[in-house]
Amino acid sequence: SGTDEHGLKIQQAAAAAGTSPAELCERVSGLFRQALTQAGVAYTDFTRTSEPRHQRAVRHFWGALRDGGMLYKGSYEGWYCTPEESFLPESQLAESTDAQGRPCKVSLETGHEVHWTKEENYMFRLSAFRDPLQNWLRDNPRAIFPDPFYQCVLRWLDEDLPDLSVSRERNRLQWGIPVPSDPTQTIYVWVDALVNYLSVVGYPESHGAWWPAVHHVVGKDILKFHALYWPALLLAAGLEPPERILVHSHWTVRGQKMSKSLGNVVDPSVCMGQYGVDGFRYFLLRQGVPERDCDYYDEKVVKLVNSELADALGGLLNRSTAPGINPSNTYPCFSEPCFPKVLGSREARGTGRACAEDYKLVAAVASLPVQVDSYFEGFQIYKALECIAQCVRQTNGFFQRHRPWKLDRRDAAEQLWLDTILHITLECLRVYGTLLQPVVPHTADKLLSRLAVRPGERCLSALTFLARYDGKPCPFEGRQLGPDTGILFHRLGK
């Protein structure tokens, strides 16, 4: 992760705040780092485009473009949007009025005002890359995901693809990297920013260990820069495009776009204070669908987190480990005669006490790890969480259906069935706790600790569900449970 720090809007924001661009970037990048730490988001590197290692990489990249004959000096004019740091065609503009009521033009997409700009810049021969880009996408249909964004880029490639202005006059933009061998020009902020994907993996010396097996995660508003300009620039510099570009949509608030002027911007640190880090993470990942905008409002968070984390998951752990139902505080044993393995039939046979619904539950949870892994790999985290939530509901149904609290512990047969019910329930919880670790790390740790699952037993590869059903030994059977950690997830107030 990291911060893209150069450009005209930063220069202007620093001037308006009465500070230097470097001081402004130091402060703001610090806020981003703080937010990621607070949200429990780990990163291997936090890259800043104002760092010397990055500037060196950008100069080398520029040299590769220049030496390949991909740059030329040309005059450029058009409508420039400073907040977006890009020139916009007439088709993407609308008529509006500024704060003083004067007529002006604004970006159709963002509503930001644009200004007519004319200057001499270095141009990149983007027009030469229509065929190579089309070939790249046709050969790699999953290069841009989800599919609606892939189709969108193909449509762009059917339109006019003019050459791209890749520098700005230095007298207008000082906050950026000067063009090597031409101090009158500053490298265009997007060329500079995109190269951070290379500089962070050691370009120009050691990037080969990673490149091009990389996945970019980007917002839909910067798709054109990542899916048209960046692959073309890479090809021009003799490099492969990234393996995949994963695109996500935006959050609206009660159906409206978030904006400072509307005063409806959601502060993540406030949300983490209200719902807990895990509660907020769970909501965003459970409800965030990459291909379309999703709507945010507080009541929705409270309802979802209470029903799925506090009630369904937390309630299940609470009931199945309560002293009244499990006085020995152990991981109970599984009885094969109570829950016999059934082959080629949905109905239980023989002496077992399990019913068809129970076998459906066992089949669903057994297939869950592979299903969740596949959805995580496919950037469909919401689908993975939907499957887990469905299985949690099924497990609650199983527990409720057999009413273990009604069984007579003095009867040996009843005790075996009680232990089997608890064994299956705890096995299900162990699977959910393991799979939920990337999403709700604190809650998952609490759950697995209560089940006495050791750190080395929490990985996907070690996730064998209900081994005893298949006649294999279960390492957890008979193990003392961990100490009672209290309520797994506290219900949120309205």
Side-chain angles (χ1 to χ4, degrees), residues 153-172:
V153 177
L154 284 177
R155 284 195 298 275
W156 283 337
L157 285 168
D158 285 335
E159 296 168 9
D160 191 29
L161 200 63
D163 287 350
L164 181 68
S165 167
V166 288
S167 71
R168 300 289 179 263
E169 287 180 352
R170 190 83 185 158
N171 58 14
R172 192 164 71 88

Side-chain angles (χ1 to χ4, degrees), residues 314-326:
L316 186 62
L317 178 68
N318 219 24
R319 294 162 81 195
S320 58
T321 57
I325 208 158
N326 187 353

Side-chain angles (χ1 to χ4, degrees), residues 322-330 409:
I325 208 158
N326 187 353
S328 63
N329 195 42
T330 54
R409 202 176 277 107

Side-chain angles (χ1 to χ4, degrees), residues 262-308:
L262 285 174
N264 67 345
V265 174
V266 176
D267 183 338
S269 67
V270 171
C271 293
M272 286 184 270
Q274 279 177 319
Y275 314 126
V277 171
D278 279 8
F280 193 48
R281 284 169 64 113
Y282 186 80
F283 173 79
L284 294 177
L285 292 166
R286 174 81 168 89
Q287 295 279 298
V289 179
E291 53 262 47
R292 63 175 183 272
D293 287 354
C294 299
D295 202 35
Y296 176 93
Y297 51 93
D298 295 323
E299 298 89 335
K300 197 179 188 180
V301 186
V302 172
K303 191 177 172 186
L304 178 91
V305 172
N306 279 347
S307 76
E308 294 191 359

Side-chain angles (χ1 to χ4, degrees), residues 16-303:
T19 185
S20 70
E23 286 167 335
L24 178 74
C25 290
E26 183 68 33
R27 184 176 63 79
V28 175
S29 74
L31 292 173
F32 274 99
R33 273 202 299 276
Q34 198 179 308
L36 291 175
T37 302
Q38 188 189 359
V41 176
Y43 47 84
T44 47
D45 201 310
F46 191 95
T47 179
R48 297 179 59 192
T49 60
S50 56
E51 291 173 336
R53 64 169 175 170
H54 174 71
Q55 300 196 25
R56 183 173 153 269
V58 171
R59 287 193 289 270
H60 190 278
F61 191 82
W62 183 276
L65 295 176
R66 181 194 58 217
D67 297 346
M70 294 298 162
L71 302 176
Y72 64 93
K73 204 96 177 262
S75 185
Y76 196 88
E77 59 182 312
W79 294 103
Y80 192 72
C81 178
T82 300
E84 294 171 51
E85 296 285 12
S86 71
F87 283 98
L88 299 176
E90 285 283 353
S91 60
Q92 288 177 30
L93 302 177
E95 300 292 337
S96 186
T97 52
D98 64 16
Q100 283 74 44
R102 295 176 300 221
C104 68
K105 285 186 186 286
V106 297
S107 162
L108 210 52
E109 169 80 11
T110 63
H112 293 134
E113 192 174 348
V114 297
H115 301 278
W116 188 260
T117 306
K118 182 177 182 180
E119 58 184 44
E120 192 177 50
N121 300 142
Y122 284 94
M123 306 293 290
F124 168 63
R125 299 184 192 279
L126 181 64
S127 54
F129 287 89
R130 173 186 268 113
D131 288 349
L133 289 175
Q134 284 177 330
N135 293 338
W136 164 59
L137 289 176
R138 292 200 176 117
D139 291 345
N140 299 279
R142 287 173 62 77
I144 298 165
F145 184 84
D147 188 64
F149 299 114
Y150 172 79
Q151 299 300 337
C152 174
V153 177
L154 284 177
R155 284 195 298 275
W156 283 337
L157 285 168
D158 285 335
E159 296 168 9
D160 191 29
L161 200 63
D163 287 350
L164 181 68
S165 167
V166 288
S167 71
R168 300 289 179 263
E169 287 180 352
R170 190 83 185 158
N171 58 14
R172 192 164 71 88
L173 174 61
Q174 297 84 45
W175 181 240
I177 302 170
V179 167
S181 72
D182 188 348
T184 67
Q185 295 277 318
T186 300
I187 294 174
Y188 174 43
V189 62
W190 268 104
V191 175
D192 162 0
L194 288 163
V195 174
N196 92 80
Y197 291 116
L198 286 172
S199 60
V200 79
V201 291
Y203 180 84
E205 292 87 18
S206 53
H207 60 286
W210 288 94
W211 204 270
V214 292
H215 292 198
H216 297 339
V217 181
V218 305
K220 67 175 186 178
D221 53 324
I222 50 175
L223 179 60
K224 186 169 273 185
F225 299 98
H226 282 83
L228 284 186
Y229 303 162
W230 181 225
L233 288 162
L234 285 164
L235 291 168
L239 294 162
E240 290 291 311
E243 196 170 284
R244 289 192 90 187
I245 299 168
L246 303 167
V247 190
H248 62 79
S249 298
H250 294 163
W251 283 97
T252 56
V253 176
R254 297 190 185 277
Q256 287 187 296
K257 190 169 185 171
M258 266 194 233
S259 85
K260 285 178 187 168
S261 55
L262 285 174
N264 67 345
V265 174
V266 176
D267 183 338
S269 67
V270 171
C271 293
M272 286 184 270
Q274 279 177 319
Y275 314 126
V277 171
D278 279 8
F280 193 48
R281 284 169 64 113
Y282 186 80
F283 173 79
L284 294 177
L285 292 166
R286 174 81 168 89
Q287 295 279 298
V289 179
E291 53 262 47
R292 63 175 183 272
D293 287 354
C294 299
D295 202 35
Y296 176 93
Y297 51 93
D298 295 323
E299 298 89 335
K300 197 179 188 180
V301 186
V302 172
K303 191 177 172 186

